[in-house]
Amino acid sequence: MPTPMERIVLAGRPQGSPTEADFRHEHTELRDPAEKEVAVETLYLSLDPYMRGRMDDAKSYAKPVDIGATMEGGTVGRVIATGSDRFAVGDLVVGQFGWATHGVLPANQVRKAATDYAPPSASLGVLGMPGFTGWYGLTELGRPKKGETLVVGAATGPVGQMVGQLGKALGMYVVGVAGGADKCRFAVEELGFDMCVDHRAQADTQAMRVALAEACPDGIDVYYENVGGKVLEAVMGLMNPFGRIPVCGMVAYYNLGGLGMGDAPGPNLLPRMWRTILVNKLNVHGFIIMDHWERYGDFLAEVGPMVKDGRIKYREDITEGLANAPAAFMAMLKGENFGKTVVQVAEDAA
Ligand code: NDP
């Protein structure tokens, strides 16, 4: 008997912020895995800012999701049928199975969940793609040094949580930027950041700059870029000579869609930004974590034990039910998540 399954497909390309109408919930059937493939039942679905880019038909580092296709996404699930000897029925695995209750993928695109260190959902956050991104971007591209000042935006999301806590573990002075007093309190009191600036309380770039200058009396040596917008604009004038900027994301701009530079609203800051990079001899380094996946084992070996013994803490924001994924995704883009955004798609029967 075929296994019934549900999925969320892309119904339309958003103009600005996505709406419910851009998604469609469908019922279908799971196909059997072929040789060297595995079929899984999804337990948790990861919702990440990059998915907004996949909804646009614009040139990027990855292909857009086609209209009518399942929304792309990382999941943790249990293997329910296998055509590969790499995985057994019952294994907990991670893969890009998409916004769906079930899925089939080639076994070589699937890895075991990191359950030696933390519960399954953590393989999508602190020990998954976002945590790995924070580790790689800070340690490889940020070239952090003890005593230096590190600033990171989206500080209580899964990337920011990792970056700030690793910075503290390395002896840096760490300033987070987050939306709202609760998130800022969490960054300082729970994650151990030295300071946190609430960007929603700053009316404009100038106010943001004053707040950041107060929080960073010795200037900024490493700005881990997650957000863009007025945070980036304020940071640029505070960077120290030879500062490093790992460019990881720019969530403030994602709803601009595929606009070209000159089409973005507001004054053209490019000449001033470019000059700042030159005169301060800044190292600005964009990266996409998928190009560095061979380092995931190094990350897990280093950070897994830190998560297990509580040196690295993490917070998740879990929504129940696949049908609620679009709403949780749209909320995350607006900063209404508090921690790593995860959808619990099914209870783990095992
Ligand atoms: P989060 O879970 O932190 O979610 C995004 C957060 O961005 C929101 O919660 C909100 O937090 C913040 N935000 C939204 N709008 C704005 C704004 N206008 N100004 C400032 N902050 C804003 O996301 P992740 O930790 O998963 O990802 C963080 C960044 O890392 C993203 O840009 C993402 O695209 C990027 N990324 C890049 C990868 C790569 O390979 N280069 C891989 C993984 C992630 P708040 O309420 O605190 O403002």
Side-chain angles (χ1 to χ4, degrees), residues 103-331:
V104 174
L105 275 180
N108 64 6
Q109 293 177 20
V110 173
R111 67 175 190 274
K112 285 214 162 141
T115 45
D116 288 349
Y117 305 110
S121 58
S123 287
L124 300 176
V126 65
L127 291 178
M129 185 278 286
F132 174 43
T133 300
W135 173 84
Y136 181 85
L138 179 68
T139 58
E140 290 290 326
L141 308 178
R143 288 186 268 120
K145 293 187 196 67
K146 191 173 175 184
E148 285 188 335
T149 296
L150 164 69
V151 171
V152 58
T156 62
V159 176
Q161 290 182 38
M162 179 62 68
V163 169
Q165 291 184 89
L166 285 177
K168 283 312 300 172
L170 292 165
M172 303 182 86
Y173 174 77
V174 176
V175 176
V177 178
D182 285 350
K183 288 186 179 181
C184 279
R185 200 172 308 114
F186 175 77
V188 173
E189 291 177 7
E190 300 294 325
L191 303 179
F193 289 28
D194 295 286
M195 300 276 279
C196 186
V197 175
D198 176 2
H199 70 86
R200 296 196 197 285
Q202 315 307 324
D204 53 22
T205 297
Q206 184 51 29
M208 187 73 218
R209 184 172 165 154
V210 170
L212 269 175
E214 259 173 41
C216 304
D218 297 329
I220 300 170
D221 300 294
V222 181
Y223 172 54
Y224 189 102
E225 167 66 314
N226 277 334
V227 296
K230 68 175 186 266
V231 183
L232 169 65
E233 290 168 15
V235 159
M236 285 308 278
L238 301 170
M239 289 299 298
N240 290 330
F242 300 104
R244 284 84 66 201
I245 306 183
V247 182
C248 174
M250 47 193 83
V251 63
Y253 305 141
Y254 291 171
N255 282 326
L256 297 178
L259 286 182
M261 287 253 246
D263 307 324
N268 180 6
L269 300 173
L270 193 58
R272 203 165 71 209
M273 296 278 248
W274 209 228
R275 182 176 183 280
T276 303
I277 292 169
L278 174 66
V279 298
N280 280 329
K281 298 153 275 189
L282 302 181
N283 184 301
V284 180
H285 196 139
F287 73 104
I288 298 297
I289 198 60
M290 292 309 154
D291 297 332
H292 307 285
W293 208 253
E294 78 287 349
R295 299 294 312 282
Y296 179 75
D298 297 337
F299 158 72
L300 200 58
E302 181 182 324
V303 176
M306 297 172 84
V307 171
K308 188 168 184 173
D309 68 19
R311 276 175 291 158
I312 298 273
K313 300 195 176 80
Y314 64 99
R315 177 175 174 136
E316 297 171 327
D317 187 330
I318 300 187
T319 295
E320 302 281 331
L322 181 68
N324 295 318
F329 175 65
M330 293 183 286

Side-chain angles (χ1 to χ4, degrees), residues 65-93:
V65 175
D66 289 330
I67 299 293
T70 305
M71 281 292 295
E72 187 176 328
T75 62
V76 176
R78 283 229 180 254
V79 174
I80 55 170
T82 177
S84 159
D85 52 16
R86 291 169 69 147
F87 298 103
V89 169
D91 282 352
L92 264 180
V93 297

